[in-house]
Amino acid sequence: MDSTPSPSPSSPFDLVSSALGRYIPRGGAETAAGPADAEGDRTTSGHGPDNPEPDRQDQILGVVNLDRDLRITRCNLDAPVFAGLGAVAGSAFADFLPPRDVPTVTRRLRQVLEVGEAHVARIQRLRRGDGSELVVSMSILPAAPPQEGLTVSLIAMATRLHLYAAETAIGTSLDIGETAQSLADSLLAWGDVAAVDLDFAVWTGEGFTEQAQGRIRLRRAALVPDRVWPEGYVTPGGDLPSDASRLLAQAVRRDDAPQAIVVPDREAVERLLGSPRVIRALVPGDRSASVACIPLVLDGTPPVVLGVAEVWRRADSPFRDSELFDLQELVARTAHHVDLARQHQREHTQVLALQRRLLPRSGGDTLEIASVYQPATPDSAGVGGDWVNSFPLPDGRTALVVGDVVGHGLGAAAAMGQLSMEARALLSAGLAPDEVLEHLDETVTLLDDAEAGLAAGYSALGSTCCIALYDPVSHQVTLSSAGHLPPVLVLPNGHAGTLAVRPHPGLGAEFALREPFDVHTFAAPPGSLLALYTDGLVEDRTLSIDEGISRLAEAVSTVHPWDALQQAARHVVSALAPVRQRDDVTLLLARMIGYRKGDTATWRLPARDDAPARARALVSALLRRWHTTGHTRDDVPLLVSELVTNAVRFATGPITIRLIRTSHGLLCEVGDTGNGRPRLSRGDLLDDGGRGLHILHRLTTRWGVRWTDTGKVVWADVAR
């Protein structure tokens, strides 16, 4: 056993051994057990503290050097706690491991050799010559060049030190699975196998009500060590059989209070579990004979059981009362972290459900839609305020909306839902994109002043939004943006680039900084592909935002016209978005289809008394060419005649008539220069005023008004 440090402490082994040499006298573990002359050496040594014997017994550090064949070349395991390991140069490191752990540890050692990245602070057992085991925290470090091999540092896990280390590690993540895994890793110091089973309500984030005795559904959250388990044994992610869940719940509930229990031997375990099916599901192997079951309890009146932690041992190593006390202390402290993770999961699930609800369902006949939404990783600040929507407008156009509300959590979700619904309502009412953004700008300002509700204490100032309206007849996109990143347009010839949108400070800017919302119009011929997105897709710490957008344009340009759009959208996101993202990622792809020229017709008539008759004749001739039959052939000319009559009567200037043949019927539009809004009102039977609107209401499935720069357009849908 080489305990002499190298004169040039440049490798990890040398550094650790150098540190050990200041506290451990030469002579090794045998010296610790030696007679009075050893005591004399210790008391006269200038390297140790004033009271060396207790300090020496408390030493917990050791180090081993391995070659590429994983054999020991030198080691420093002089601390008394490592006595009995018998590590000598030339022996295989696997000889000091329990046989069940050899494959896993060997794989980790090989991985550090090949990759060169350290594997730090994993709980591991070492086997002494007498068959007993020592629990250590093991770190695997690559040797410093030009040396080869590995340095393995070992820290013997004293009980209180292990409890402190475990409490520090547990609760560092808001992910339920990671929290449970940290607990299981820590529990392994007290047994051969550790498992954590959590109530199904914890996984879903549901709130707890008073649980009836025995009414608990458990799902395995964590299991260590990593090995091949017997057939039928429940592994992480699997649900425990109902009988097993019921038995565990009953076992940890005595006198109506959750308590830890110990089943001391295999016979008692089998007698408690009963059926062979439950035994296969809960007992990890033939050598596992005794088990300690410790409930994760959430304090309250009455207390709520979140789950059960199980630690299995062999029959020759029974649980002591002090060990059971330590297990209860560790699990009790972990229960708080599990409940915090459950609350985070509940908020995450609620916000994510709202996000999913806002995703576009379909694009219709004139537009193909695909969208991808990836929330931030569960252990981040929470689901963000990204939102995307697509919906048909009554006049045949399609609205594409994407927004990014600042912040995360329920406040951002509440603001996101309000802005999304308001944008949809205003666009459906016929407002232009810039007018809608003006209303959203005012809403964000009002939300910032809110003192109650979900958004209380939350500010949405600086949120962004982009609205694009696709006209399938003119094949144009009308767009307005409030501080959002510019959309990417790929033309049918494959040319891809960002749309030239003037920068804007965003929604809710200070009054002095507010700017008008510009309206941009771009040609989007059939076959074009439009990409709307949020910053989470293109942000990369190693790239500028412009480079990120260029990467997106390049990725979208590779989408072929015959590619399935939803699959293409997922491919684009997987190529650009990081694996563990700190912000939501949203992408909306829209493939333009539009109407064929033969499916639309437009006429422009002067506002004269003969205009209704001329309109009736033109529409009737068109319907015959379209081979329209049934009531539609009679209703549509009457409908157009009444709308033109109203335009001649109440407006001035030319009248525009447009008919569009859709998959479900006909869309009729009559435009004029008037600014009055037609309103349907109740009237007497003999009243002449308002008769045209009553006819319009009866002959159509829906109708409405949209405003233009020169006046208004009354539109109506007629089913075939």
Side-chain angles (χ1 to χ4, degrees):
M1 188 178 295
D2 179 13
S3 61
T4 305
S6 171
S8 58
S10 58
S11 71
F13 177 90
D14 297 325
L15 293 174
V16 177
S17 284
S18 175
L20 291 175
R22 292 196 298 269
Y23 301 103
I24 301 177
R26 301 179 186 274
E30 293 78 4
T31 307
D37 59 338
E39 285 188 28
D41 290 342
R42 287 194 296 271
T43 55
T44 59
S45 170
H47 299 290
D50 294 337
N51 187 11
E53 182 63 26
D55 285 344
R56 202 170 172 284
Q57 295 297 329
D58 288 342
Q59 292 306 317
I60 57 175
L61 301 177
V63 61
V64 175
N65 231 39
L66 305 180
D67 60 18
R68 298 192 66 85
D69 296 326
L70 306 184
R71 291 187 173 274
I72 297 176
T73 58
R74 51 181 177 162
C75 62
N76 190 336
L77 299 176
D78 291 343
V81 70
F82 296 109
L85 289 179
V88 294
S91 58
F93 188 72
D95 295 343
F96 310 104
L97 300 172
R100 62 185 178 274
D101 293 344
V102 171
T104 301
V105 176
T106 301
R107 185 173 66 250
R108 291 174 183 163
L109 293 169
R110 293 290 182 193
Q111 182 180 6
V112 176
L113 271 175
E114 295 171 2
V115 180
E117 294 183 1
H119 197 99
V120 179
R122 291 298 297 265
I123 303 300
Q124 181 57 48
R125 291 176 175 273
L126 300 180
R127 187 179 58 176
R128 293 189 175 97
D130 60 1
S132 62
E133 293 181 347
L134 171 67
V135 179
V136 300
S137 172
M138 183 174 72
S139 297
I140 308 170
L141 311 172
Q147 302 179 30
E148 295 184 350
L150 300 171
T151 296
V152 180
S153 71
L154 306 172
I155 303 177
M157 300 300 286
T159 300
R160 300 313 301 175
L161 176 64
H162 180 69
L163 281 175
Y164 173 77
E167 292 166 5
T168 304
I170 297 171
T172 58
S173 170
L174 287 175
D175 181 76
I176 294 175
E178 293 182 8
T179 302
Q181 185 64 44
S182 298
L183 173 60
D185 288 338
S186 302
L187 292 176
L188 194 61
W190 284 273
D192 302 313
V193 176
V196 178
D197 303 323
L198 298 178
D199 188 359
F200 191 75
V202 175
W203 289 99
T204 59
E206 298 174 6
F208 285 98
T209 57
E210 184 174 349
Q211 298 170 330
Q213 183 168 349
R215 297 292 299 275
I216 187 172
R217 176 185 172 189
L218 295 175
R219 171 174 291 180
R220 180 134 295 171
L223 176 66
V224 289
D226 181 14
R227 68 169 70 158
V228 178
W229 299 101
E231 183 179 358
Y233 186 64
V234 180
T235 53
D239 292 339
L240 272 65
S242 56
D243 291 345
S245 295
R246 178 178 53 81
L247 286 171
L248 281 178
Q250 290 177 343
V252 299
R253 284 181 178 272
R254 291 177 295 169
D255 301 326
D256 293 329
Q259 300 180 35
I261 65 166
V262 174
V263 185
D265 53 51
R266 183 61 178 253
E267 181 181 352
V269 169
E270 294 181 354
R271 186 169 60 250
L272 172 67
L273 299 182
S275 72
R277 175 170 173 263
V278 176
I279 293 174
R280 286 195 304 270
L282 293 183
V283 180
D286 295 335
R287 297 184 63 189
S288 301
S290 63
V291 60
C293 299
I294 306 96
L296 286 89
V297 181
L298 183 63
D299 292 335
T301 308
V304 176
V305 176
L306 302 176
V308 180
E310 304 144 40
V311 180
W312 292 85
R313 278 185 176 179
R314 299 188 304 272
D316 57 356
S317 180
F319 288 96
R320 300 190 301 271
D321 290 342
S322 60
E323 292 177 316
L324 190 60
F325 176 80
D326 292 334
L327 287 171
Q328 289 177 286
E329 179 182 350
L330 178 59
V331 173
R333 297 191 181 189
T334 304
H336 170 67
H337 296 296
V338 171
D339 187 53
L340 288 178
R342 177 192 66 84
Q343 296 177 39
H344 177 76
Q345 178 66 24
R346 179 175 60 184
E347 178 179 313
H348 187 88
T349 302
Q350 291 171 345
V351 177
L352 190 57
L354 178 58
Q355 294 275 18
R356 301 292 188 197
R357 182 66 182 85
L358 295 176
L359 291 178
R361 296 296 184 265
S362 62
D365 300 328
T366 63
L367 202 65
E368 186 180 357
I369 293 293
S371 61
V372 175
Y373 170 72
Q374 285 186 184
T377 48
D379 59 343
S380 67
V383 177
D386 291 13
W387 52 281
V388 61
N389 208 347
S390 170
F391 48 92
L393 297 178
D395 57 9
R397 297 180 298 172
T398 301
L400 309 170
V401 187
V402 62
D404 189 356
V405 175
V406 297
H408 297 79
L410 287 179
M416 172 199 66
Q418 186 165 348
L419 294 179
S420 176
M421 292 298 101
E422 182 176 353
R424 179 162 190 161
L426 294 174
L427 288 168
S428 298
L431 272 67
D434 57 326
E435 296 175 317
V436 174
L437 290 180
E438 289 176 2
H439 285 276
L440 297 184
D441 187 58
E442 185 65 25
T443 299
V444 168
T445 304
L446 294 175
L447 283 176
D448 192 53
D449 296 333
E451 297 180 355
L454 282 174
Y458 166 79
S459 175
L461 299 180
S463 300
T464 64
C465 181
C466 181
I467 300 175
L469 302 184
Y470 172 61
D471 189 334
V473 178
S474 65
H475 305 297
Q476 289 184 330
V477 173
T478 303
L479 184 143
S480 192
S481 176
H484 204 79
L485 296 177
V488 172
L489 180 64
V490 182
L491 297 175
N493 61 9
H495 178 267
T498 58
L499 298 180
V501 178
R502 182 179 176 184
H504 192 276
L507 300 174
E510 294 183 16
F511 185 80
L513 301 177
R514 290 188 182 180
E515 298 179 3
F517 298 100
D518 297 328
V519 178
H520 310 271
T521 301
F522 304 92
S528 301
L529 194 62
L530 182 67
L532 302 176
Y533 55 96
T534 54
D535 54 4
L537 181 61
V538 296
E539 283 185 339
D540 191 318
R541 294 181 179 179
T542 62
L543 301 173
S544 67
I545 192 68
D546 291 336
E547 290 175 318
I549 296 175
S550 297
R551 290 179 61 211
L552 172 62
E554 182 180 354
V556 175
S557 66
T558 63
V559 179
H560 295 286
W562 54 83
D563 288 346
L565 200 58
Q566 186 62 49
Q567 183 178 354
R570 294 194 187 101
H571 176 74
V572 170
V573 170
S574 63
L576 298 180
V579 176
R580 295 186 65 82
Q581 64 225 31
R582 302 297 298 178
D583 196 6
D584 293 1
V585 169
T586 305
L587 174 66
L588 173 66
L589 292 182
R591 180 179 285 155
M592 314 305 179
I593 302 174
Y595 289 118
R596 298 174 300 175
K597 288 185 177 180
D599 290 333
T600 65
T602 305
W603 302 279
R604 191 178 180 89
L605 303 177
R608 298 194 309 234
D609 292 341
D610 62 343
R614 291 183 60 188
R616 215 167 28 244
L618 292 170
V619 170
S620 297
L622 177 65
L623 295 180
R624 287 193 296 270
R625 292 199 303 271
W626 282 352
H627 304 290
T628 306
T629 59
H631 65 87
T632 305
R633 189 168 180 174
D634 299 325
D635 293 347
V636 173
L638 175 59
L639 172 64
V640 172
S641 175
E642 291 296 333
L643 291 177
V644 172
T645 300
N646 282 346
V648 172
R649 183 175 179 182
F650 297 107
T652 60
I655 299 170
T656 303
I657 305 168
R658 185 167 76 169
L659 257 63
I660 302 174
R661 180 168 54 178
T662 66
S663 60
H664 59 273
L666 294 175
L667 177 61
C668 308
E669 296 181 349
V670 175
D672 58 49
T673 58
N675 56 10
R677 181 180 182 89
R679 295 184 180 277
L680 186 66
S681 59
R682 296 182 181 275
D684 294 334
L685 183 63
L686 299 179
D687 285 349
D688 184 54
R691 182 176 66 90
L693 291 183
H694 281 280
I695 294 175
L696 173 68
H697 191 68
R698 290 181 179 276
L699 296 182
T700 61
T701 55
R702 57 179 184 163
W703 66 276
V705 180
R706 79 170 187 269
W707 306 101
T708 66
D709 294 337
T710 58
K712 67 177 185 298
V713 173
V714 181
W715 56 266
D717 263 335
V718 180
R720 281 197 271 190

